[in-house]
């Protein structure tokens, strides 16, 4: 796993040849137990690294298309599994906690429900008011600039834009870590606002 912009944040990725971009997972290392977000399968190297970091206590899935290795990781580490309540009927396993949005999962990690994306209950996560972690709706295909899912993938563009604008209005965001594409370690809030203003 790679250390990200904070000493307590790590990530691992898989390059998708069909879409020509990286898919990402995030690990927040915390004394009370580590949180894995949208976990991809681990390489042997990353599995060993994760063990040295203390394993996983909680797994969060942002949307149905990011189920990935979430259930397997929860089983392997005895972690609690959190998923989007709006996608109970789509996710092929039961989560310990179903999230609607606008709630704090653990101190410092707040979940926001998004509308209009390609799945009905997508979530975004805000870590300590400054790092936004997104699933599919908000992505970064070109370094430094955010974009929305293409219109033909959205269930409702007006709701998707409203969801984006709600996140863009949050004060203090510095970093945006999309599930798909490039991370924005600096000026992420500015990029969010530029995207919102363009729609």
């Amino acid at each position: 796993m790679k250390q990200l912009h904070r000493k307590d944040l790590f990530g691992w990725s898989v390059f998708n040849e069909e879409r020509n971009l990286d898919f990402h997972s995030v690990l927040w290392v915390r004394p009370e137990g580590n949180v894995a977000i949208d976990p991809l399968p681990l390489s042997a190297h990353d599995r060993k690294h994760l063990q040295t970091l203390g394993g996983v206590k909680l797994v969060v899935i942002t949307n149905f298309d990011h189920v990935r290795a979430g259930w397997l990781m929860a089983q392997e580490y005895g972690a609690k599994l959190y998923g989007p309540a709006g996608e109970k009927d789509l996710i092929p396993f039961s989560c310990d906690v179903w999230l609607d949005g606008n709630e704090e999962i653990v101190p410092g990690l707040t979940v926001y429900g998004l509308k209009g994306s390609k799945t009905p209950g997508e979530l975004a996560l805000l870590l300590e008011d400054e790092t936004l972690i997104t699933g599919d709706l908000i992505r970064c295909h070109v370094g430094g600039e955010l974009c929305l899912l293409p219109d033909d993938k959205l269930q409702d563009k007006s709701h998707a834009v409203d969801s984006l604008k709600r996140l863009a209005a949050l004060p203090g965001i510095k970093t945006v870590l999309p599930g798909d594409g490039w991370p924005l370690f600096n000026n992420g809030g500015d990029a969010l606002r530029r995207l919102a203003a363009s729609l």
Side-chain angles (χ1 to χ4, degrees):
M1 285 182 285
K2 305 170 289 262
Q3 184 173 321
L4 302 180
H5 63 295
R6 295 169 39 140
K7 291 182 179 179
D8 59 352
L9 278 185
F10 292 82
W12 68 104
S13 308
V14 170
F15 183 72
N16 182 276
E17 293 183 1
E18 179 185 349
R19 299 182 191 174
N20 203 40
L21 49 73
D22 288 317
F23 294 160
H24 302 289
S25 301
V26 175
L27 180 75
W28 180 26
V29 176
R30 51 196 295 274
E32 302 83 1
N34 299 338
V35 179
I37 299 163
D38 287 345
L40 292 154
L42 291 162
S43 67
H45 170 83
D46 287 342
R47 186 179 301 280
K48 185 175 180 182
H49 190 187
L50 180 57
Q51 293 285 15
T52 68
L53 293 170
V56 176
K57 184 174 182 179
L58 194 156
V59 173
V60 182
I61 296 168
T62 61
N63 70 78
F64 165 68
D65 282 339
H66 284 203
V67 164
R68 300 172 170 176
W71 185 84
L72 291 173
M73 179 174 279
Q75 294 299 303
E76 181 174 351
Y77 291 94
K80 280 194 171 182
L81 196 52
Y82 287 56
E87 303 184 14
K88 278 184 185 179
D89 295 336
L90 297 173
I91 293 177
F93 46 79
S94 181
C95 291
D96 298 293
V97 178
W98 294 103
L99 301 165
D100 288 307
N102 301 320
E103 54 202 297
E104 194 171 53
I105 300 175
V106 295
L109 187 63
T110 303
V111 62
Y112 290 88
L114 306 179
K115 303 295 182 187
S117 190
K118 67 177 179 178
T119 61
E122 184 172 334
L123 307 171
L125 303 168
L126 186 61
L127 175 59
E128 295 182 342
D129 299 323
E130 63 177 28
T131 297
L132 181 67
I133 302 164
T134 67
D136 274 325
L137 179 62
I138 300 167
R139 48 204 24 228
C140 182
H141 293 183
V142 176
E145 292 299 324
L146 296 173
C147 60
L148 280 188
L149 271 171
D151 288 358
D152 62 349
K153 299 273 188 179
L154 297 173
Q155 292 187 352
D156 186 309
K157 185 170 182 179
S158 65
H159 285 161
V161 171
D162 287 345
S163 293
L164 163 67
K165 289 184 174 180
R166 186 162 59 102
L167 294 175
L170 295 171
I173 293 176
K174 297 177 183 176
T175 299
V176 179
L177 302 177
D180 299 352
W182 296 98
L184 279 75
F185 295 116
N186 297 299
N187 305 311
D190 292 338
L192 269 176
R193 288 185 286 276
R194 282 196 303 272
L195 176 59
S198 74
L199 297 170

